[in-house]
Amino acid sequence: MLTIALVDRVGSGLWASVSVLYFTYVSGLSVGEVGTLVAAAGAAGIAGAPLGGRLADRVPLTRVLIAVQLLRALASFALLTTDHFALLVVLCSLGSLGDRAANVLTKLYATRVAGADRVRYQAVQRTVANAGWALGGLTAAAALALGSTAAYRWLLAGDALSFAACALLTLRCHEPRATSRTVATSKDPSSTAGPTSPWRDRTYLAYVATDTVLFLDDAVFKVGLPLWIAHTGTAPHGLAPLLLVLNNVMVVALQISLARFGSTTAAARALLIPLSATFALAGVAMAASATGGTITTTLSLTAAAVLFTLAEMFHATIAWELSVALAPETAQGAYLGVHGLAQSAQRSIGPLAVTGAIATGPLGWLTFGSVIAMTCAFQHRLVRERLAPKPLSVPPVTVSEH
């Protein structure tokens, strides 16, 4: 599965950085049409995580993952055949649906295979995925130097081929044991009730809502930093891609090491406190970047990038553990699918949150960091009772001395 993660992200790296340019220069769409296309695809993708997780509780996970990868491949190949706006919206929506489903399915696979060591497994997988993303991005940058329509098409074809390769590689993966299907097929009449529904679990839904806020660091790197650098006017514009590289390098270098701080459920919950402080300091650093000249701005933005990257890695570790620990074993797929909504929703909320912070200025960034910090503290309290050790169901026995 680690090889699959690498191949998947190399392909995504080829396409993600040039998709908007492809639709503009190759498909000939207007700015408004490109915006509508991206928004529609993002909205469709929201359904992918819960749908994929629910299916994986009922049929073999590897079969679902193969189907999802083939859907992504077909959608990407089909983009090469048309420039019709409506068809492009449909195809991008299908690809986005498959992308979000694949994301939660690979996480579920890691959960079932790695068991108690799932946090370290996810850390290794995320490190490999980031390395693949960087490799794909560098390849795309080199291809764009050609400045031809053919280069864009080859990058899209490479993305599609990576998904087809992932489907073939998944055929070699063994099917992990799934408690939910074991329960569902049991002859024990008491098991016929089926798995618990996450949609009726108020604590888990509240946890997912708070995690949506904690995922906002993603929007900082994709939207916030580039726009803020352009807005301040004192930082060199070339700083934005360098900060993205810094983010990627830090994740590859440190994610596995930092994962040990959240290797147990109790440790993951405790990590929410330093995560809260990290988000607050990152907001302060962003605000400070508007108070000085070029050197001060550059140093402040670099510090903010480092802090937001640390927050990203801490939160990834926490989310890997808590999203599973809060879910019953008989419905892990359904629960992790609902948790996947946090990242999907953030893709819509995140850009609005960071542009709001930019429009407000330094006070906006202070508020941005403070709100996420307070959400960390709230989540720390929210999950306390659910994760507390359960008392014995039988009364203690007193042994007489006689």
Side-chain angles (χ1 to χ4, degrees), residues 41-63:
I46 293 175
L51 180 61
R54 188 171 181 84
L55 285 173
D57 275 338
R58 286 158 174 75
V59 297
L61 188 155
T62 51
R63 294 183 189 175

Side-chain angles (χ1 to χ4, degrees), residues 344-361:
S344 299
Q346 184 280 141
R347 291 188 173 189
S348 297
I349 299 171
L352 296 176
V354 295
T355 51
I358 291 170
T360 312

Side-chain angles (χ1 to χ4, degrees), residues 78-402:
L79 287 175
L80 292 166
T81 67
T82 182
D83 292 331
H84 191 279
F85 176 67
L87 286 177
L88 291 175
V89 170
V90 171
L91 294 172
C92 286
S93 296
L94 289 174
S96 180
L97 185 78
D99 177 71
R100 302 316 302 164
N103 184 275
V104 74
L105 289 170
T106 52
K107 178 180 178 180
L108 181 58
Y109 186 95
T111 298
R112 292 177 178 175
V113 168
D117 201 30
R118 55 182 173 261
V119 170
R120 178 172 174 79
Y121 186 100
Q122 288 274 25
V124 173
Q125 182 162 298
R126 188 165 190 262
T127 300
V128 170
N130 271 268
W133 188 279
L135 180 59
L138 290 173
T139 303
L144 288 183
L146 299 175
S148 66
T149 299
Y152 286 105
R153 294 188 182 278
W154 277 111
L155 290 172
L156 176 53
D159 184 39
L161 288 171
S162 73
F163 299 142
C166 287
L168 291 174
L169 290 170
T170 305
L171 288 171
R172 302 174 56 188
C173 295
H174 74 278
E175 178 66 25
R177 177 181 175 274
T179 304
S180 55
R181 292 206 311 277
T182 301
V183 171
T185 57
S186 171
K187 295 181 180 180
D188 182 0
S190 65
S191 69
T192 58
T196 304
S197 171
W199 298 107
R200 293 194 293 270
D201 189 332
R202 293 182 180 180
T203 299
Y204 199 83
L205 291 176
Y207 165 71
V208 172
T210 58
D211 237 26
T212 301
V213 179
L214 270 56
F215 274 118
L216 288 177
D217 61 85
D218 182 65
V220 171
F221 283 99
K222 291 182 177 178
V223 180
L225 278 171
L227 285 181
W228 182 244
I229 288 172
H231 179 77
T232 59
T234 54
H237 288 189
L239 181 63
L242 293 178
L243 294 180
L244 289 175
V245 171
L246 175 63
N247 168 263
N248 197 267
V249 170
M250 284 184 65
V251 171
V252 172
L254 300 175
Q255 183 69 80
I256 296 175
S257 298
L258 291 178
R260 72 179 187 272
F261 294 109
S263 58
T264 67
T265 302
R269 176 176 175 263
L271 197 57
L272 282 165
I273 301 304
L275 175 61
S276 177
T278 304
F279 272 124
L281 289 173
V284 171
M286 288 295 290
S289 67
T291 62
T294 300
I295 295 178
T296 300
T297 299
T298 301
L299 291 176
S300 296
L301 288 173
T302 302
V306 169
L307 288 165
F308 274 119
T309 301
L310 286 173
E312 173 189 338
M313 292 186 286
F314 283 145
H315 177 232
T317 298
I318 295 166
W320 293 330
E321 178 60 28
L322 295 189
S323 62
V324 176
L326 291 168
E329 289 189 3
T330 54
Q332 283 183 341
Y335 270 71
L336 291 181
V338 170
H339 181 258
L341 290 174
Q343 281 184 299
S344 299
Q346 184 280 141
R347 291 188 173 189
S348 297
I349 299 171
L352 296 176
V354 295
T355 51
I358 291 170
T360 312
L363 180 60
W365 283 115
L366 289 174
T367 304
F368 181 87
S370 298
V371 168
I372 305 179
M374 288 187 290
T375 304
C376 291
F378 176 78
Q379 188 180 103
H380 183 269
R381 182 178 180 84
L382 172 71
V383 303
R384 179 179 59 185
E385 182 177 347
R386 180 75 158 261
L387 299 176
K390 301 297 187 293
L392 295 175
S393 58
V394 295
V397 177
T398 302
V399 179
S400 173
E401 294 180 358
H402 300 288

